[in-house]
Amino acid sequence: MSSESNIEKVDNINSEERVSVASQGQLIWWRFRKHKLAVFSAILLLLLYLTTLFAEFFATSDPLESEAFRGLIQPQPIHFFDEGKLSPHVCAMEGTRDPYTYKKTYKPNCDKKTPVEFFTKGYEYEWLGLIPMDRHLIGVPEGYLAEEHIFLLGTDIQGRDMWSRIWVASRLSLSIGLVGVTLTLIFGISLGGISGFYGGFIDTIIQRIIEIIRAVPTIPLWMALSAAMPFSWSIVQIYFSITLIISLFAWTDLARVVRGRFLSLREEDFVTAAVLSGANERRIIFRHVMPSLYSHIIAAVSLAIPLMIISETALSFLGLGLQAPAISWGTLLQGTQNVQSVALYKWLMIPAFPVVGSILLFNFLGDGLRDAADPYSD
Amino acid sequence: MTTKNKKDDSPILEVTNLKKYFPIQKGIFKKIVGNVRAVDGVDFSINKGETVSLVGESGCGKTTTARCIMRALDPTSGEIKFKTKNNEIIDLSKLSKDEVRPYRDDIQMIFQDPFSSLNPRMTLFDIVGEPLLVNGMKAKKEREERVSEIMHQVGLRPEYMMRFPHAFSGGQRQRIGIARALSINPSLIVADEPVSALDVSVQAQVLNLMMDLQDQLNLTYLFVSHDLSVVSQISDRVIVMYVGKIVESGTPKQIFESPKHPYTSALLSSVPKADPRLRQERIVLKGEVANAADPPSGCTFRTRCPNPTDDCRDGNIEMGLIEVSPGHWVDQCCVNCG
Amino acid sequence: MTKKNTKIEKQKPILSVNGLKVHFFTDEGTVKAVEGASFDVLAGRTLGIVGESGCGKSVATRSLLRLVDSPGKIVDGEIIYRGDANKKEINITSLKTSGSDIKSIRGGEISLIFQEPMTSFSPVHTVGNQIIEAIKLHKKLNKDDAKGLTLDWFKRVGMPDPEQRMNQYPWQLSGGQRQRAMIAMALCCDPKIVIADEPTTALDVTTQAQILDLLKELQEENGMSIIFITHDLGVIAEISDDVSVMYLGNIVESASVDEIFHSPKHPYTTGLLNSIPSITNKNRERLPTISGSIPHPHNRPSGCTFRNRCQNPSDDCREGKIEMKLIEVSPGHFVDQCCINCG
């Protein structure tokens, strides 16, 4: 058989030119696209992260401004029409104190209307900490009293607007996931990779460390570590030490996955082939083993971020993580630590919704990614 | 072992008393409690331009032998003398991993599984060109020319260079594997069951290709296979292994037409013939393949031998090859029981 | 074999498959795994189904037990089972996939031997117990009788130390012993038909020879029919009485084993036979090959699926105008109509 005739014989790969030259990334993307729920979640999450950049723009009032006159106001709907005309407004809340229980109750008084404007001027803030701005998506024109404001999701005990606080909190809570995951990735991949690739004594040591870390009960340890943080630290310092503490525990999972993959990839024929053709260790690791890990890493990350978010929320809720005046979903939920709020001020639990929602979205996304991530599985 | 050969008298590879033991470890302190003697004293040589086949059933040590020669495994003891392109004779078994690297371009391997042996994340150009790149051909243009030449040679269209392996069928992938092995002009190719994973019709195409390439490029093959029909087709010499040892070796004619060792005869009679009119009584061996962690003393085959001599049955005869006719070597215990 | 031949005249086939179509509905499109396969299984004989990977031989036989997994579906055709002369014919395609009817056929009437017995035995129960459970499921026997029957079968399949093996776990057995256990499990309920799906592919030649001999012996004792699926023509020649050759979901030729090997009519059959290396071939001779390779299942050619690789297709056939259909060229020898004259 001459090689000419061979060429003719082998030539029937016309199935799909597009697929033949598709790289790993493209194949993953094609498979991911088919996962409607995951794509939907990805878009929502992307929007969510985008909005955190503009959190103050969405806020209606200064999240830190407390006002005793307006403590614990219930959520207040916007009325869009006034006597048939389009004129968005909210009714002013009038508080009366119950003479027996001393509980303050608010009633909307629709005779006193506060107009609601879009793209209005409001409190001043620095966008991304750099550019001073005072525009907001919705707000109340200047000249109204503090209690004649708009409280879309009510106020907390100190009279701070929940709607605004949730928006601002999302920035810390969502970003802690990303920062934490980056740290986790660095620890997990390097330690897991070393463990799996070199094996032997180093592997045993790293595996024992992982086992010890996983055996430590986390909550007491978190308590100890956060107690060790000096009071004088700024919010930023505390924020980073919290992410560090969380990721110190979270890397073990990823390290195990990476180690397992390294172990099995080391035995793959194509890795052996590369070794036998004279490739050095660096090339084996970065050209052959690591690219085969990307899919696992993507999947691990999409599952690690929600874990980070939950951990931060749990820590802050327990008073071990971020502390007031820092605003995160966890610190907001601290306000619900009593029966009273559960029974009477239900809107204080609203910050739980973005937590649950974002974690669900991450899990849907993770599911889709995991299915799509290994395009060579079948 | 020396053999007279028609092609070239200088051995390119000479393996002497090669042993590979895998330790059996137990407990948390990984105490070594025994050894699996995967290869237990193997001697053979391959001359330039020859195809030598290692045959045997699973666990006989044929693949381990091949992997030791490739230095994918470190042999426990023995010598692997290899004649490089510069006619320098080196002992591969004594070199460290880094010392072996410069000689890698001279021995290449073809793998059994056409799917797992190609990195799915690399294009054909990267796969076939990798041996070139890591052995110093840095210029992309030069590599492209070489890759396209070799792809043409193995019957693949050079235009497919930028495709990924998932676009190809099993037979085509095996051609890619062959192209990769040949890209740096090795003199010795170790082929580990290169056609076992392929369908019959594709298998024939790949076998023909391998024979053509051998003629064109004066390659030397060490061909590892469990399939006697394939081996008879392609080999100049056949080595039959059983539980880590060679039990018989010779030309295909000697092995297939007048086998001397009872194991070879049993193997041959077990191969189903593709002709219903040739159905025959088979020599069915009793028992199972001996355990390589605890092989019988003396002749490893004595527990299954249909007709052992008394001394052999008691394990009194050591194994060792003797030449029964020119180039035909048989284990001494079984010369008379076949 | 002549004795068997006289039998065929008198009886209807125990199993008839007519125009079976099994399609897999995947995201990338419909894969026509089996596209109109027809074959008969005769009582007490062995039907060998041979073909290369992806030809649909496993899917076709799995549908006999309704074991085709989603997204696969039987879209057309009928499978008529005539297990008992006194009972009514059963059309297996009309049964529910998880109903009691098909369950009583599975294992009881038609049983399956897999390629890799390791995956078909549960690793957490002893081999003996798993077979005892299977017996209790299909036969009304108490535990002791079932145990006795299992031991009896272990002896019949030639298991060394049968008593001891009964109490071992699958991973403690060697490949050959596991396959023997698998055969014991498949046969313990006296099925009328045994489907053997590449039962010897994972085994070494010497073990393969033992297993083939065992199957033949057991067939002589029990008189069951065997459907033997393999890609290995040597094994087919060894064990079958009748052979069907499959290519891309169709049966392209079927005949007695002697006819297939000595007067094949279809170019694919001839090509396959020529491309087998053989010990009797001349050393280093180039093997004749079939040109081209099997098309991707998404690119099934219309008309005759083999036309792109056919050396000598008729004009109509080359253009895909002739539908595939088996016609009888001599008694008992069926060939696809496109390729009768091009072989």
Side-chain angles (χ1 to χ4, degrees), chain C residues 128-153:
Chain C
N129 275 341
Q130 295 184 52
I131 299 176
I132 291 169
E133 285 309 310
I135 293 176
K136 276 164 54 186
L137 200 70
H138 289 285
K139 291 190 166 184
K140 306 243 164 344
L141 285 181
N142 63 32
K143 180 140 189 174
D144 284 340
D145 290 346
K147 201 168 175 177
L149 189 62
T150 308
L151 186 61
D152 188 37
W153 268 105

Side-chain angles (χ1 to χ4, degrees), chain A residues 8-41:
Chain A
E8 253 178 299
K9 284 167 187 176
V10 182
D11 180 25
N12 60 359
I13 328 167
N14 49 355
S15 54
E16 260 186 60
E17 190 77 16
R18 205 169 67 110
V19 173
S20 312
V21 295
S23 67
Q24 180 190 14
Q26 280 166 308
L27 288 177
I28 291 182
W29 170 236
W30 289 339
R31 273 175 65 144
F32 179 71
R33 258 190 336 204
K34 283 185 206 143
H35 251 268
K36 293 286 177 292
L37 188 58
V39 174
F40 174 73
S41 308

Side-chain angles (χ1 to χ4, degrees), chain B residues 7 51 57-58 169 172 199-205 207-208 211-212 214-215 226 228-236 252 256 263 266-268 270-277 279-280 282 284-288 304, chain C residues 1 52-53 174 177 204-210 212-213 216 231-241 257-258 261-262 272-273 275-279 281-294 309:
Chain B
K7 295 200 175 177
T51 303
E57 296 182 286
S58 48
S169 70
Q172 289 161 342
D199 279 318
V200 224
S201 62
V202 185
Q203 174 176 311
Q205 291 173 356
L207 277 181
N208 288 347
M211 290 191 271
D212 288 339
Q214 182 169 38
D215 294 346
H226 70 278
L228 292 161
S229 336
V230 168
V231 162
S232 77
Q233 195 80 30
I234 197 168
S235 325
D236 295 312
F256 296 113
Y263 178 66
L267 265 187
L268 281 172
S270 307
V271 177
K273 316 283 178 301
D275 185 348
R277 292 180 191 165
R279 284 186 197 174
Q280 54 179 26
R282 275 189 288 255
V284 175
L285 289 176
K286 58 188 177 191
E288 306 260 338
R304 305 180 76 190
Chain C
M1 217 167 71
E52 296 181 283
S53 47
S174 73
Q177 289 168 349
D204 283 317
V205 263
T206 51
T207 322
Q208 165 170 295
Q210 294 171 351
L212 291 181
D213 284 351
K216 277 197 251 179
H231 67 280
D232 187 332
L233 286 153
V235 172
I236 283 284
E238 198 79 44
I239 196 157
S240 326
D241 300 311
V257 67
D258 201 64
F261 283 87
H262 288 281
L272 274 185
L273 287 172
S275 59
I276 326 173
S278 150
I279 293 176
N281 276 11
K282 226 192 251 153
N283 187 222
R284 296 193 65 81
E285 193 179 44
R286 301 299 185 266
L287 293 160
T289 56
I290 305 176
S291 66
S293 53
I294 301 172
R309 305 179 70 186

Side-chain angles (χ1 to χ4, degrees), chain A residues 10 17 19-20 283 288, chain B residues 104 130 160 163-164 166 172:
Chain A
V10 182
E17 190 77 16
V19 173
S20 312
R283 187 174 166 85
H288 291 279
Chain B
R104 293 258 185 234
E130 177 163 51
Y160 296 158
R163 294 193 174 194
F164 287 85
H166 60 80
Q172 289 161 342

Side-chain angles (χ1 to χ4, degrees), chain A residues 118-181:
Chain A
F118 290 88
F119 300 104
T120 177
K121 270 191 181 171
Y123 77 94
E124 286 173 9
Y125 59 93
E126 282 173 343
W127 184 59
L128 299 179
L130 300 170
I131 308 157
M133 283 176 77
D134 59 1
R135 287 282 159 194
H136 296 272
L137 179 64
I138 37 176
V140 170
E142 280 171 76
Y144 283 85
L145 290 174
E147 59 267 40
E148 293 171 341
H149 213 84
I150 162 177
F151 307 112
L152 283 172
L153 297 176
T155 59
D156 68 0
I157 196 153
Q158 294 181 46
R160 293 174 297 198
D161 178 38
M162 290 298 282
W163 165 265
S164 310
R165 284 172 71 77
I166 288 176
W167 277 112
V168 175
S170 69
R171 178 180 295 161
L172 272 189
S173 290
L174 286 173
S175 68
I176 211 161
L178 295 188
V179 178
V181 156

Side-chain angles (χ1 to χ4, degrees), chain A residues 255-272:
Chain A
R256 288 201 155 178
V257 172
V258 170
R259 170 179 178 266
R261 288 296 300 164
F262 258 85
L263 281 179
S264 64
L265 281 166
R266 216 169 49 164
E267 303 298 316
E268 284 281 335
D269 277 350
F270 69 80
V271 174
T272 312

Side-chain angles (χ1 to χ4, degrees), chain C residues 43-67:
Chain C
R45 286 171 68 95
T46 302
L47 170 71
I49 299 184
V50 67
E52 296 181 283
S53 47
C55 72
K57 54 190 192 298
S58 285
V59 175
T61 43
R62 251 149 230 249
S63 28
L64 304 184
L65 290 174
R66 301 300 302 275
L67 288 175

